[in-house]
Amino acid sequence: MSTSYKSRVLSLVLVCVYVLYLVFGALVFSALEKPLEEKVQAELNLLKQQLISNMSCINISTLEQLLQTLLNANKYGVSLAQNSSEYSNWDLASALFFSNTLVTTIGYGHTTPLSDTGKAFSIVYALLGVPFTMLVLSACVQRLMSPLYLRPVASWRRRFGWHPHMANTVHFVLLLLLVSVVFFLVPATVFSIIEGSWSFLEAFYFCFISLCTIGLGDFVPGEQPKQKFRPLYKISVMVYLFVGLMAMYLVLRSFHKLADVQGWTAFFHLPSCDDDGDEERESPAVEPNECERDTKPLDPSARVSYNSISK
């Protein structure tokens, strides 16, 4: 079996597994959420009928128009349930938070531009901001790979004599545990305390959905009425999201390195995780010596001359 044929077969298998995974998720979500949706819809219809029966003077069409207007306003982050003069969805802190979620592709959707000009500017702003954000994250993580990945792995190999498979596996597990504690468990505890209506599970769910850039928008921090220090809170969450995205990217890079060492990328014919030459030179224990990799054993009978020395 040729390498190209094997690569095509593996790619086809991966695509089929991915489609099956999507179908499986759709079936599970439909089974879990559809009954609850029907229950909420029934409650709304019952509440509507009770309101009409108790107040016969209400016009049904006017009521339905009011409900539709409320739903549309809620889609843009405007709610009748809170005092609109208390804070704005477009003050400096909120606008900064929106800009951050836009260029990081988290996009909660709780606040969206109302004007056509704002929509057009969002397109241009994201068109430039998304790749620029990815560039900044890549540059920061590239600088962190040496002190947080290459040096620890090289140090463990020199000190304990570990095989590269062992050193990289231990490093990835420890990094994953550290990121889980620092960027998921601890922030979830803090959010569950600050956001009084959030349980720990809901706060942990928010952290995971945000740092994976899924951004469903069902939980957004700083949106409760009478939120204390709301501008500072919004900016703090924005910093947490950016640093958390760096940590997630670092985990992905480390996993890619682990896959290279374990031979998974070669098995699936995927590109390896390439680093800068400076980082490779800083960790000679991780990569084989250039002379050992690129040269052939010398022939004992070969005669050495000055002409054979490269200048």
Side-chain angles (χ1 to χ4, degrees):
M1 183 182 296
S2 63
T3 303
S4 60
Y5 178 77
K6 183 180 179 181
S7 176
R8 287 194 295 267
V9 171
L10 287 174
S11 299
L12 181 60
V13 170
L14 288 176
V15 171
C16 293
V17 172
Y18 180 72
V19 172
L20 291 176
Y21 185 75
L22 293 179
V23 173
F24 169 75
L27 293 175
V28 172
F29 282 125
S30 178
L32 293 177
E33 300 300 328
K34 191 173 182 180
L36 184 59
E37 180 189 31
E38 294 174 349
K39 179 182 178 182
V40 172
Q41 184 65 48
E43 291 176 352
L44 288 176
N45 292 333
L46 178 61
L47 182 61
K48 177 182 175 182
Q49 294 299 327
Q50 290 177 350
L51 182 61
I52 294 175
S53 61
N54 293 333
M55 302 180 68
S56 57
C57 59
I58 296 180
N59 188 296
I60 298 179
S61 61
T62 303
L63 176 61
E64 291 179 348
Q65 184 179 2
L66 173 62
L67 295 176
Q68 187 63 42
T69 303
L70 291 175
L71 290 175
N72 292 333
N74 185 70
K75 183 179 67 174
Y76 290 108
V78 180
S79 176
L80 188 64
Q82 59 191 19
N83 186 3
S84 58
S85 63
E86 185 178 349
Y87 64 83
S88 170
N89 288 320
W90 296 103
D91 56 20
L92 182 59
S94 299
L96 189 62
F97 185 78
F98 171 78
S99 300
N100 180 64
T101 59
L102 182 65
V103 297
T104 55
T105 70
I106 297 176
Y108 292 118
H110 68 294
T111 302
T112 55
L114 297 174
S115 63
D116 292 339
T117 305
K119 293 181 177 65
F121 177 75
S122 298
I123 296 174
V124 178
Y125 188 76
L127 186 64
L128 300 176
V130 170
F132 181 65
T133 302
M134 297 300 105
L135 178 63
V136 173
L137 288 174
S138 300
C140 294
V141 172
Q142 190 72 19
R143 299 299 178 270
L144 294 175
M145 283 294 291
S146 179
L148 297 182
Y149 174 81
L150 296 173
R151 292 177 185 174
V153 170
S155 176
W156 295 343
R157 291 188 59 191
R158 287 194 302 266
R159 180 174 301 180
F160 304 111
W162 285 352
H163 191 274
H165 292 191
M166 180 67 177
N168 283 272
T169 302
V170 171
H171 174 272
F172 178 74
V173 171
L174 292 178
L175 179 64
L176 188 61
L177 290 176
L178 180 63
V179 171
S180 299
V181 171
V182 175
F183 292 96
F184 289 95
L185 294 179
V186 173
T189 304
V190 174
F191 282 126
S192 63
I193 295 175
I194 296 178
E195 302 284 342
S197 60
W198 293 11
S199 65
F200 178 80
L201 176 61
E202 292 171 338
F204 189 91
Y205 165 82
F206 162 78
C207 295
F208 180 82
I209 292 297
S210 298
L211 297 186
C212 290
T213 67
I214 300 173
L216 296 178
D218 46 354
F219 290 94
V220 180
E223 296 301 315
Q224 294 185 2
K226 300 180 181 179
Q227 181 77 55
K228 294 182 179 180
F229 306 106
R230 184 173 181 268
L232 180 61
Y233 181 40
K234 284 278 190 179
I235 295 176
S236 301
V237 174
M238 183 186 70
V239 174
Y240 158 72
L241 293 177
F242 186 82
V243 178
L245 288 177
M246 288 176 53
M248 294 295 289
Y249 191 17
L250 181 63
V251 170
L252 292 177
R253 292 272 294 175
S254 300
F255 179 77
H256 199 170
K257 279 284 192 180
L258 177 62
D260 288 344
V261 174
Q262 298 290 352
W264 300 335
T265 53
F267 178 77
F268 289 103
H269 302 282
L270 300 175
S272 60
C273 186
D274 295 325
D275 288 323
D276 291 341
D278 294 338
E279 292 182 352
E280 293 179 355
R281 286 192 292 270
E282 288 177 0
S283 179
V286 176
E287 299 291 339
N289 185 274
E290 183 178 356
C291 296
E292 296 176 358
R293 182 174 64 247
D294 296 334
T295 61
K296 299 179 180 180
L298 292 176
D299 186 357
S301 63
R303 297 181 61 183
V304 181
S305 65
Y306 290 105
N307 295 331
S308 63
I309 302 176
S310 59
K311 298 179 181 181

